[in-house]
Amino acid sequence: MQVNSRKGCSTVRENARTSSFSGPYGESYGNRFSHSGYQLEGPITAIRVRVNRSFIVGLQVRYGKEWSNYVGGSSGDLEEIFLFPRESIIQVSGKYTNYIRRLVFVTDEGRYFSFGKDEGTSFSGAPLFPNTVLRFFSGHYTSVISSIGFHWDKYIGSCSKDGVQEQEDKERVE
C-alpha cells in the first residue's frame, strides 16, 4: 500500500485489481474499434449515439475535452448527452439481435439515458469491482454497431469523488 498526498488531497493506492470488462454483446463482425487510448484524455464527459428506427447506428464519445473518432454508419438521428462534472457511468444495459438495438446508460447521479429499440436479447454490463466506472468502449461496426464491450476501472483523478478538487471540475466543463 502506498499513500500519496497532492494539493491537499490524500489518496491510498493499493495493489488490488480494479479493471474489468463486460461483453462483447452482439455479433463481433465488421471493423473493430477500441477507445483504449482516449481514456488517457480524461473521464467520459459526453456521448453521441446515432440511432435509426431499428438499430444503434453509430457512436462517438468525449473523453475529457477530446472526442473519439466516430464509428458506425450515417443513417438515422444523432443524439447527444453530457455528463455533469464528476458524474460517471456505472452500468450499461441494452438489447441486441445481429446488431446492437438498444443502449441504456446509468450514472452515479441516478440519471439514465436510453437510445434505440426495446427488442432482442437483453444484456447488462457493470463493473466487477466497487468504486469503478466506465472508462472506455470497444466493439465492431459496419453501417451499424454490431457488437460493443465496456471497460471499467477507477475514476481518473488524483482524489476520490468525495475529495473533489475545484480545478478538476473546471477542466471537465468546456
Side-chain angles (χ1 to χ4, degrees):
M1 181 183 313
Q2 182 180 22
V3 177
N4 293 332
S5 182
R6 190 173 138 186
K7 292 186 182 180
C9 206
S10 296
T11 61
V12 176
R13 181 190 295 163
E14 297 180 18
N15 292 330
R17 183 180 166 131
T18 59
S19 64
S20 60
F21 175 73
S22 302
Y25 304 105
E27 302 292 329
S28 295
Y29 57 86
N31 301 307
R32 186 181 187 293
F33 75 90
S34 174
H35 290 172
S36 63
Y38 286 104
Q39 70 172 323
L40 302 176
E41 299 296 327
I44 294 171
T45 55
I47 300 174
R48 292 177 178 151
V49 179
R50 186 175 297 278
V51 296
N52 66 20
R53 61 178 200 214
S54 300
F55 302 110
I56 302 297
V57 174
L59 179 69
Q60 187 177 28
V61 180
R62 191 173 75 175
Y63 297 87
K65 296 179 182 178
E66 180 79 19
W67 283 101
S68 69
N69 292 331
Y70 176 83
V71 294
S74 58
S75 68
D77 298 321
L78 185 64
E79 300 179 29
E80 186 173 69
I81 62 168
F82 290 89
L83 299 181
F84 296 137
R86 305 290 294 178
E87 182 178 26
S88 297
I89 295 168
I90 58 169
Q91 180 184 12
V92 185
S93 60
K95 299 225 174 169
Y96 68 93
T97 53
N98 292 336
Y99 305 110
I100 303 300
R101 298 185 72 112
R102 180 176 175 87
L103 289 172
V104 180
F105 300 98
V106 179
T107 77
D108 56 359
E109 296 287 335
R111 298 195 304 159
Y112 71 95
F113 304 96
S114 179
F115 303 93
K117 190 166 184 141
D118 194 15
E119 211 171 87
T121 303
S122 295
F123 67 85
S124 182
L128 293 177
F129 303 103
N131 303 315
T132 57
V133 299
L134 182 62
R135 292 296 307 280
F136 70 94
F137 295 81
S138 63
H140 289 81
Y141 69 96
T142 57
S143 59
V144 297
I145 303 297
S146 60
S147 73
I148 196 162
F150 310 105
H151 301 260
W152 311 91
D153 208 337
K154 292 280 188 187
Y155 183 87
I156 188 169
S158 61
C159 296
S160 70
K161 292 189 77 158
D162 293 334
V164 177
Q165 293 178 358
E166 193 171 302
Q167 183 62 33
E168 287 178 329
D169 285 343
K170 288 179 184 174
E171 290 173 0
R172 278 205 58 184
V173 178
E174 284 190 318

